Amino acid sequence: MRVAILGGTGDIGEGLALRWAYHTSHDIVIGSRDPQRARSKAEEYETELSSRGAETTIAAAANAEAAAGADVVVAAVPAYHLADTIEQVEEGLDGETVLVSPAVGMQRDESGMHYNRPGAGSVTALAADAAPDDVAVVGAFHNLAADELANLDIDLSLDAILVGDDEDAVDRVELLADGIDGIRALRAGSIDNAAEVESLTPLLINLAMHNDELHDVGVRFE
Amino acid sequence: MRVAILGGTGDIGEGLALRWAYHTSHDIVIGSRDPQRARSKAEEYETELSSRGAETTIAAAANAEAAAGADVVVAAVPAYHLADTIEQVEEGLDGETVLVSPAVGMQRDESGMHYNRPGAGSVTALAADAAPDDVAVVGAFHNLAADELANLDIDLSLDAILVGDDEDAVDRVELLADGIDGIRALRAGSIDNAAEVESLTPLLINLAMHNDELHDVGVRFE
């Protein structure tokens, strides 16, 4: 599968790129607004992988070029850039593309981190609204522990929760998620259920703040 | 410690009563609107415990009587009965009482279960608003797997997330939570952070609906 990670220079994008390149045979392309930055991060990831004996090529391009022709496009950008990013790349998306939204809108106050629910109902719903009608959107990878994900020394034991209205699209993302050793994909229904998934991210941050043993925390449902 | 479980005849109340009676030496009193019903459930719990060699007395009373003199009062009632229940018992609460709120407001639609955020900001905040000013309120036990909790054959491996504005009160509830084998108490800060904790409950229900292996699901943060 060809997987484009827009915002693949950020922390969750980095972790997904490294893990997919390391654990699977998918073709990974890093997208960024700045293609030079995408290229330099892709080389950094290649060096990291090579140091572990994985001689893998990671492509790099500007976001629009990265997205064109990808089977899955992961919009690993902050929630406030999501609609703009989708608009930049939409010419390259079609009925064959699955767009994945891992972004969460959050707001910090003196108590901690809070879910900032968008008017669309969730950030995933916002992505679905911004995407062309024939592009299936799946919410996923909101709640992974980013530092653990990007550290290939760590054996993961994390759940990735998926929401989406198109079962085939969710199946494709499930395959991608399950392809990473130590990640288990779980389904939480349609995009209407995304807010409860996204709300988990600020909770994880609050738990990390208040519990010494949970610096970079993910979740397992059992 | 003397622990009153108001609504101790419901499923989460049953699980907490059985586990505290089985794993700790706290005095448990079951409260209900109907003291006869409280008595008959308390006897049921005693029989269950006795069948496992634990000869324990579980007290029973009408809610107000159960709450009076308790160190911790757990309001294990549905969110829409919470304010009324607190009003019924408030004469028995004072600056020495910790009131625990495990309730979550939810709404089901065709997609699944959704968090129904009260005007107060969270159900825990609603409990704090309803309680007398000198009574410390702690949100806890929202996200336990109720059937697992009530089945003493099952070794638990669950996290209980606590939120509260009074550190001593949170300490007391942490002691109660950690007293149950297999439960780990985690702190998530003040009551302002309760909505993200309560939102996890509908997510657990949606995950149980969509994943065969997760019928009665709880959560571990790691």
Side-chain angles (χ1 to χ4, degrees):
Chain A
M1 222 184 294
R2 184 176 169 84
V3 183
I5 306 177
L6 313 183
T9 62
D11 61 353
I12 188 80
E14 171 170 355
L16 290 172
L18 285 170
R19 292 281 173 176
W20 280 323
Y22 194 60
H23 296 299
T24 77
S25 57
H26 301 306
D27 293 325
I28 307 301
V29 51
I30 302 301
S32 176
R33 277 173 300 178
D34 173 0
Q36 286 302 331
R37 185 161 160 69
R39 183 66 259 152
S40 103
K41 287 302 259 185
E43 281 165 16
E44 193 184 295
Y45 303 161
E46 285 172 344
T47 304
E48 166 70 6
L49 290 158
S50 174
S51 78
R52 292 159 193 277
E55 300 301 337
T56 307
T57 302
I58 296 187
N63 280 331
E65 193 189 331
D71 301 295
V72 173
V73 175
V74 181
V77 299
Y80 51 86
H81 280 149
L82 183 60
D84 283 352
T85 302
I86 293 172
E87 198 180 319
Q88 279 166 31
V89 306
E90 68 181 359
E91 281 189 24
L93 309 180
D94 61 28
E96 301 301 308
T97 323
V98 174
L99 179 67
V100 173
S101 175
V104 173
M106 291 185 285
Q107 210 168 297
R108 189 184 286 277
D109 68 14
E110 65 280 6
S111 303
M113 205 59 115
H114 299 288
Y115 181 49
N116 193 6
R117 188 174 182 166
S122 67
V123 179
T124 308
L126 190 153
D129 289 350
D133 286 347
D134 61 341
V135 174
V137 170
V138 174
F141 311 123
H142 300 94
N143 306 307
L144 300 178
D147 293 347
E148 281 191 14
L149 193 69
N151 182 346
L152 297 175
D153 287 332
I154 293 181
D155 290 333
L156 303 175
S157 175
L158 298 173
D159 287 337
I161 308 174
L162 317 182
V163 286
D165 297 344
D166 179 315
E167 288 300 313
D168 293 340
V170 178
D171 285 346
R172 198 185 294 176
V173 181
E174 184 173 21
L175 202 71
L176 265 183
D178 283 335
I180 299 177
D181 291 355
I183 290 190
R184 175 179 64 164
L186 295 176
R187 291 169 179 247
S190 76
I191 290 178
D192 286 345
N193 297 346
E196 283 78 14
V197 179
E198 296 172 8
S199 295
L200 187 48
T201 307
L203 175 60
L204 294 176
I205 295 169
N206 293 336
L207 288 169
M209 277 175 56
H210 290 280
N211 300 275
D212 291 340
E213 72 273 31
L214 299 175
H215 283 303
D216 185 46
V217 59
V219 67
R220 287 287 288 190
F221 296 92
E222 48 194 51
Chain B
M1 225 185 287
R2 184 176 169 84
V3 183
I5 306 177
L6 313 183
T9 62
D11 59 352
I12 188 79
E14 172 170 354
L16 290 172
L18 284 170
R19 292 281 173 177
W20 280 323
Y22 193 61
H23 296 299
T24 77
S25 58
H26 301 306
D27 293 323
I28 307 301
V29 51
I30 303 301
S32 174
R33 277 173 300 178
D34 173 359
Q36 285 302 331
R37 188 163 155 67
R39 183 65 259 155
S40 102
K41 288 303 259 185
E43 281 165 16
E44 194 186 292
Y45 304 161
E46 285 173 345
T47 305
E48 166 70 7
L49 291 158
S50 175
S51 77
R52 293 159 191 278
E55 301 301 336
T56 307
T57 302
I58 296 188
N63 281 331
E65 195 190 329
D71 301 295
V72 174
V73 175
V74 181
V77 299
Y80 51 87
H81 280 148
L82 183 60
D84 283 353
T85 303
I86 293 172
E87 198 179 318
Q88 277 165 33
V89 307
E90 68 181 1
E91 282 190 22
L93 310 179
D94 60 29
E96 301 301 309
T97 324
V98 175
L99 179 68
V100 174
S101 176
V104 174
M106 293 185 284
Q107 211 167 298
R108 189 185 286 279
D109 68 14
E110 64 279 7
S111 304
M113 204 60 114
H114 300 288
Y115 181 48
N116 192 8
R117 188 173 182 167
S122 67
V123 178
T124 307
L126 188 153
D129 290 350
D133 287 346
D134 60 342
V135 174
V137 170
V138 174
F141 311 123
H142 301 94
N143 305 306
L144 299 178
D147 293 349
E148 280 191 14
L149 192 69
N151 182 346
L152 296 175
D153 286 332
I154 293 180
D155 289 334
L156 302 176
S157 176
L158 297 172
D159 286 338
I161 309 173
L162 317 183
V163 286
D165 297 344
D166 178 315
E167 287 301 313
D168 292 339
V170 178
D171 285 346
R172 197 185 296 177
V173 180
E174 184 173 23
L175 202 72
L176 265 184
D178 282 335
I180 298 177
D181 290 357
I183 289 190
R184 175 178 64 164
L186 295 175
R187 291 169 181 248
S190 77
I191 291 178
D192 286 345
N193 297 347
E196 283 78 13
V197 179
E198 296 172 8
S199 295
L200 186 49
T201 307
L203 174 60
L204 294 176
I205 296 170
N206 293 335
L207 288 169
M209 278 175 55
H210 290 279
N211 301 275
D212 291 340
E213 72 273 31
L214 299 176
H215 282 304
D216 185 45
V217 60
V219 67
R220 287 287 288 190
F221 297 91
E222 49 195 47

